[in-house]
Amino acid sequence: MVKLTGYKKIKAAVFISGNGSNLKSLIKFSKKKKSPISIDLIISNNPKAKGLKLGKINKIKRKVYNFKKKYKIENQILSDLKEHKVKMICLAGFMEILSRNFINKFKGKILNIHPSLLPKYKGLNTHQRALDNNEKYSGCTVHFVNSKLDSGKIILQKKIKITKNDTKNSLARKVLIQEHKLYPRSILKIFNL
Ligand code: GAR
């Protein structure tokens, strides 16, 4: 559990790789009085991530890193996080796997959102795999990050029904709408709010 100290919001960083629709919902949430976090830094591995524009509009500091030299880059990120007094990380469509060393430095303080009902469909291409297996339900999961892919302790899940006309795109859209509600609810939950 992350401890909320005093009445000050905990500084958080959001890591993104693409559209940033979860980032958008987190920014909106963070501005509410009831939010225990503020978003002070956005990290991306992709200079073309659309979500970076959201950071600019909202005047949030952004950093883009090329993850080819992962260990070096992670050390730079750790100093960025320190500089910005970031105490919590939200992965939101971030498509790099963080090293065990990095995760240990933020133990219990990194959250991820995944577009499936974990432990089912860890990794990529979740919606197509759920359809191929004729699943009746899919959904999304917010969980703590540990060193095993998509395997940390689950905070909250939201289940949705798969209908017979669903394609991977329609399913992704339906799940994403739920993700935008689930991530803020999960943050409130870990702060016991
Ligand atoms: C979301 O569906 C998120 O769950 C997924 O990427 C999408 C990002 O959308 N994350 C993963 O697949 C992580 N393994 P967004 O950029 O619009 O928030």
Side-chain angles (χ1 to χ4, degrees), residues 18-22 93 95 113-115 176 179:
N19 280 332
S21 69
N22 276 293
M95 297 307 187
I113 188 151
H114 186 76
L176 209 46
E179 290 185 34

Side-chain angles (χ1 to χ4, degrees), residues 153-170:
K153 187 171 182 263
I154 291 173
I155 300 163
L156 284 176
Q157 289 186 307
K158 175 71 186 179
K159 191 166 157 185
I160 64 149
K161 211 167 171 27
I162 298 179
T163 55
K164 68 175 188 325
N165 294 326
D166 266 327
T167 61
K168 69 171 183 181
N169 291 336
S170 69

Side-chain angles (χ1 to χ4, degrees), residues 169-183:
N169 291 336
S170 69
L171 190 52
R173 276 194 298 274
K174 286 201 294 199
V175 170
L176 209 46
I177 290 169
Q178 298 307 323
E179 290 185 34
H180 300 156
K181 299 181 207 165
L182 195 71
Y183 220 152

